[in-house]
Amino acid sequence: FFQGIKGKHSGLFEEHLDLASFDKKMRDTLLDCLSFDWAKINPAIFGSMFQGVMDRDHRREIGAHYTTEENILKLINPLFMDELRSEFKKVKKKASPKALAEFHNKLASLKFLDPACGCGNFLIIAYRELRQLEHEVVREEFKLKGIDHKLLNLESHFLVNVDQFYGIEILSWPCQIAKTGMWLMDHLMNMEASEEFGKHYDRLPLTKMAEIVNVNALRMDWESVVPKKQLSYILGNPPFVGARWMGESQKADMRDIFGDTKGLGNIDYVTAWYKKTIDLMEGATIRSAFVSTNSITQGEQVAILWKPLMERGLFINFGISTFKWSSEAKGKAAVHCVIVGFSFEKTEPNINPYLIKAPTVFIERRTKPICDVPEMVFGSMPNDGGNLIIEENEYNDFIRSEPAALPYIRRFMGSESFINNMKRWCLWLLDVTPSELRKMPLVMERVEACRRHRLKSKRDATYRLAETPMLFAEIRQPNQMYVLVPRISAERRMYIPIGFESQETIASDATQIIPAATMYHFGIMTSSAHMAWMRAVCGRLKSDYNYSNTIVYNNFPWPDATDNQKTEIEKLVQGILDARARYPDSSLADLYDPHSMPPNLLKAHKALDKAVMKLYGFPKDMSEPDMVARLMEMYSECTLQP
């Protein structure tokens, strides 16, 4: 096999290499490899083997991740294989040799590009699926013509070949792996054809190859690889590098692709492949699909990326919502992905950029709510280097040594401490007099440490805060009971735990608070309707919900409610609070874990959900996707989006 791929047409094994210096162990290992039946190996495994030997930090830096065959099939089936198989079934029913020949020629004319191909996994699996369909076509051709295929030379009957596949890859070694993997898959498909059709069939010596170009895909014209008028599909798994993790060269790539796009610093590296792909697709009949981090279909990235693209006439043809990315490689990353298929051809039903079958809307950052409800703001930010915070293990010693500080110590609540009932305190010195402060030496030490921390900052605003080191950097503490919403919450929970807190409890900037909220507002926010909206539009931290006022709360369409209806909601909210109160030793993490949520608490939530659904006019058995679709329609009505 390898002798057959050496030569001027292949480009592989052309260079002269000196003989390696072998010891006995290496020789025995090589002999073991030669005795192994490599025909049983899936060529796609090469990609995970390569990832396994890469340095983990380097892999993260370049966003190199390799996808399992299962997840590759999730992309290529809806992108082209489902349609081709369906078309073949229709052609087969016609029993027409001419129609079958035309379909066979169509398969041989398709061209595929993976512009971030790595070791070629997507191309390898796509080629295998196309060849397997071709085998069905050849089988049917022989059947219609009454030909005994066992007596024929098979070469002229198989038209699909590796030169229909193109790739671009920034690293050189994966390019060679991709080429070799494609040839190996071709060889395996030829052996499969030989077994079925009864004649030995190979393509040796190899004269055709997949064209894999070693270059930064974002810095080249893709038409120099394959003209777009010839190209059928673009697919793959572009690099996973978050907006805050990009290196300088990657940031330069983004500027080159997007120019001065507003919000560029908030979108991930993968978005550059979407933009460049769509630029190429315009004026052609190309269809595309990528595996991507789920962040491009959530939060503020949606409007930044998709709005200008869809205003050019782009449509999302299919989408697979968040799934946990997996790889055969060692040391695999924890990445949550989506699959997005897109083209300039409209399909039904409409799929919007949140991958929901609903009207196309863009939930953009908004500083004020679209409905008449109280404003939500961040909690207070210390920016103190931890010096104004008293942890649980410090508390007793601190007040024993500095009892005069007790009137100025408050419970301090962030997302994690709120949900897990962790004990934390802070020095809240808003009303302390200078003379009182000077009588508390331990407090003064902490204030001085806070001052030094702020003076070290390169930010002018933080540096100036050193003038008032006894105070939090940003103070938004209400002087009344308030609703607290943790900014980060685990996705496994049916409801984000929210709560009422006393004005004596200081909310940190890791929370969102609504100072003027009532029990009614609490009720709508903790309902299944609001939770469905939140799950659809919020950003994510890995897979956890990242609740924001500007995206989630300020864009949420509230129902119209009479005073009597609001009173009814408030009674149901009290039922939830009473159910919580029955478990004083349990944290909200305990109460809202789906495996440990008390039945009476769940029952109280279900009663509230039912009442809120009625307020919206939703059927009681309405599914969450349908609920989100209707809420997005309401959002469009509130904001007058077309």
Side-chain angles (χ1 to χ4, degrees):
F1 171 70
F2 286 106
Q3 182 64 31
I5 63 177
K6 181 178 180 181
K8 64 178 181 180
H9 296 291
S10 71
L12 193 62
F13 307 140
E14 284 186 346
E15 72 275 24
H16 174 75
L17 298 176
D18 294 331
L19 289 176
S21 177
F22 269 38
D23 58 20
K24 184 177 185 304
K25 183 178 179 181
M26 292 175 66
R27 179 180 180 277
D28 291 342
T29 301
L30 177 61
L31 292 175
D32 287 341
C33 290
L34 292 174
S35 65
F36 188 79
D37 184 2
W38 290 92
K40 297 177 181 177
I41 295 295
N42 184 343
I45 202 70
F46 288 162
S48 60
M49 290 170 61
F50 177 70
Q51 182 184 349
V53 300
M54 286 181 70
D55 175 77
R56 179 179 294 188
D57 292 337
H58 181 52
R59 189 165 69 235
R60 179 167 189 168
E61 178 186 345
I62 65 173
H65 300 295
Y66 297 93
T67 312
T68 61
E69 179 176 327
E70 176 188 3
N71 289 331
I72 291 172
L73 291 172
K74 285 180 184 177
L75 183 148
I76 68 175
N77 281 334
L79 179 60
F80 60 89
M81 284 308 304
D82 288 345
E83 185 177 355
L84 290 175
R85 291 185 187 110
S86 177
E87 186 177 348
F88 173 60
K89 285 181 180 179
K90 293 176 183 177
V91 170
K92 190 175 176 180
K93 282 184 179 181
K94 292 180 180 179
S96 164
K98 180 181 178 183
L100 199 60
E102 289 175 352
F103 179 71
H104 196 171
N105 288 329
K106 175 181 176 177
L107 295 184
S109 70
L110 300 175
K111 292 188 182 296
F112 304 80
L113 170 66
D114 183 343
C117 75
C119 294
N121 288 25
F122 278 82
L123 300 178
I124 290 167
I125 298 300
Y127 179 60
R128 183 195 68 192
E129 296 297 297
L130 203 64
R131 277 294 302 270
Q132 287 178 342
L133 179 57
E134 184 185 33
H135 289 183
E136 293 186 50
V137 173
V138 171
R139 189 181 305 122
E140 189 64 19
E141 285 176 338
F142 287 176
K143 177 182 174 182
L144 288 178
K145 295 177 181 178
I147 296 174
D148 182 359
H149 53 264
K150 295 183 179 180
L151 303 177
L152 294 177
N153 179 349
L154 299 179
E155 185 171 357
S156 61
H157 295 280
F158 288 93
L159 309 179
V160 175
N161 213 318
V162 292
D163 62 347
Q164 296 171 232
F165 292 80
Y166 302 81
I168 306 171
E169 168 55 36
I170 195 169
L171 299 178
S172 60
W173 181 237
C175 293
Q176 301 300 329
I177 295 176
K179 292 176 185 179
T180 305
M182 288 294 288
W183 274 319
L184 182 52
M185 182 57 78
D186 184 59
H187 178 68
L188 294 177
M189 289 296 99
N190 293 339
M191 294 305 96
E192 186 177 300
S194 298
E195 289 178 11
E196 177 174 352
F197 295 98
K199 274 276 189 179
H200 178 72
Y201 173 50
D202 61 41
R203 288 169 168 165
L204 301 179
L206 297 175
T207 58
K208 294 185 178 181
M209 63 183 290
E211 184 170 347
I212 312 295
V213 181
N214 175 207
V215 69
N216 180 347
L218 300 181
R219 294 286 179 161
M220 70 168 301
D221 179 4
W222 294 357
E223 285 204 84
S224 66
V225 179
V226 53
K228 72 178 186 179
K229 294 296 184 182
Q230 298 177 19
L231 189 56
S232 310
Y233 302 100
I234 301 173
L235 70 165
N237 173 19
F240 298 170
V241 184
R244 304 292 184 266
W245 291 92
M246 283 185 270
E248 286 305 316
S249 65
Q250 292 163 334
K251 291 178 182 177
D253 289 340
M254 293 289 283
R255 291 191 295 270
D256 187 62
I257 298 297
F258 285 98
D260 59 355
T261 296
K262 185 178 179 180
L264 181 59
N266 295 320
I267 57 177
D268 294 346
Y269 194 43
V270 70
T271 60
W273 270 262
Y274 279 86
K275 173 67 162 55
K276 195 167 177 71
T277 296
I278 290 159
D279 288 345
L280 181 72
M281 290 167 60
E282 210 159 20
T285 56
I286 303 166
R287 294 183 184 180
S288 303
F290 289 135
V291 177
S292 308
T293 43
N294 60 1
S295 52
I296 67 164
T297 61
Q298 299 166 348
E300 63 182 316
Q301 291 204 46
V302 172
I304 299 170
L305 171 65
W306 291 105
K307 188 174 183 180
L309 298 179
M310 299 188 91
E311 285 174 346
R312 291 164 58 180
L314 186 79
F315 295 97
I316 294 176
N317 304 128
F318 68 90
I320 297 177
S321 298
T322 300
F323 62 94
K324 193 169 184 178
W325 172 87
S326 59
S327 163
E328 284 98 349
K330 297 183 297 182
K332 58 187 179 183
V335 182
H336 292 78
C337 297
V338 293
I339 295 174
V340 186
F342 51 97
S343 73
F344 284 94
E345 178 183 345
K346 184 171 176 54
T347 53
E348 296 294 342
N350 188 72
I351 299 174
N352 70 22
Y354 301 91
L355 302 188
I356 294 169
K357 294 176 182 176
T360 295
V361 296
F362 302 99
I363 313 299
E364 301 182 70
R365 292 174 61 89
R366 192 179 298 273
T367 57
K368 302 288 184 181
I370 61 173
C371 297
D372 185 17
V373 291
E375 286 192 45
M376 175 184 282
V377 296
F378 285 114
S380 299
M381 182 175 70
N383 196 355
D384 64 332
N387 294 293
L388 300 180
I389 310 304
I390 304 173
E391 302 294 348
E392 184 174 9
N393 61 352
E394 303 174 305
Y395 180 77
N396 289 333
D397 288 343
F398 188 83
I399 60 172
R400 189 182 302 113
S401 303
E402 193 81 284
L406 195 57
Y408 303 102
I409 296 176
R410 304 279 190 91
R411 278 293 299 274
F412 184 61
M413 201 74 78
S415 290
E416 186 178 6
S417 54
F418 170 71
I419 292 174
N420 293 286
N421 198 24
M422 297 165 59
K423 302 295 191 293
R424 300 182 81 202
W425 291 265
C426 68
L427 290 169
W428 193 250
L429 302 169
L430 195 60
D431 298 320
V432 70
T433 66
S435 61
E436 289 173 319
L437 184 58
R438 287 172 57 82
K439 292 174 184 177
M440 297 183 285
L442 294 183
V443 173
M444 286 288 287
E445 285 180 15
R446 286 178 173 253
V447 169
E448 172 58 20
C450 177
R451 187 183 75 87
R452 290 197 302 268
H453 166 76
R454 292 174 179 177
L455 286 173
K456 291 178 183 177
S457 176
K458 296 179 181 179
R459 294 181 68 247
D460 289 342
T462 302
Y463 186 87
R464 288 194 298 271
L465 287 170
E467 297 172 1
T468 53
M470 75 291 295
L471 301 180
F472 273 38
E474 296 176 7
I475 298 174
R476 305 184 188 87
Q477 183 63 18
N479 57 7
Q480 63 197 65
M481 289 282 290
Y482 61 93
V483 163
L484 183 149
V485 182
R487 288 171 60 187
I488 305 297
S489 180
E491 69 165 345
R492 68 179 181 277
R493 299 187 182 111
M494 189 184 310
Y495 305 93
I496 290 181
I498 69 173
F500 275 111
E501 291 296 328
S502 161
Q503 61 266 35
E504 297 301 314
T505 298
I506 307 302
S508 86
D509 60 321
T511 69
Q512 308 271 6
I513 60 174
I514 311 176
T518 66
M519 295 272 277
Y520 168 73
H521 299 114
F522 180 104
I524 301 300
M525 289 190 62
T526 200
S527 70
S528 59
H530 186 70
M531 292 298 114
W533 173 264
M534 178 276 302
R535 275 188 280 271
V537 307
C538 78
R540 302 280 179 126
L541 183 63
K542 294 183 179 177
S543 63
D544 291 341
Y545 305 130
N546 190 353
Y547 193 103
S548 73
N549 57 347
T550 55
I551 294 292
V552 182
Y553 181 79
N554 289 348
N555 287 298
F556 180 62
W558 288 66
D560 293 326
T562 65
D563 289 342
N564 288 339
Q565 289 170 327
K566 290 180 180 180
T567 300
E568 178 62 24
I569 296 296
E570 290 173 348
K571 289 178 181 177
L572 294 169
V573 167
Q574 190 60 54
I576 290 174
L577 298 178
D578 291 344
R580 290 182 185 179
R582 290 183 60 184
Y583 308 95
D585 296 329
S586 297
S587 68
L588 290 171
D590 299 326
L591 294 175
Y592 283 89
D593 188 299
H595 299 300
S596 57
M597 189 175 192
N600 62 324
L601 178 58
L602 179 60
K603 183 178 179 180
H605 269 284
K606 293 295 185 184
L608 175 65
D609 291 343
K610 183 178 178 181
V612 173
M613 294 276 282
K614 187 175 180 180
L615 271 185
Y616 278 103
F618 295 163
K620 61 181 179 180
D621 58 348
M622 193 178 203
S623 69
E624 183 163 309
D626 289 343
M627 194 185 309
V628 173
R630 179 61 191 125
L631 288 170
M632 286 187 169
E633 289 175 3
M634 293 175 64
Y635 168 81
S636 295
E637 293 163 4
C638 289
T639 58
L640 300 179
Q641 286 199 17

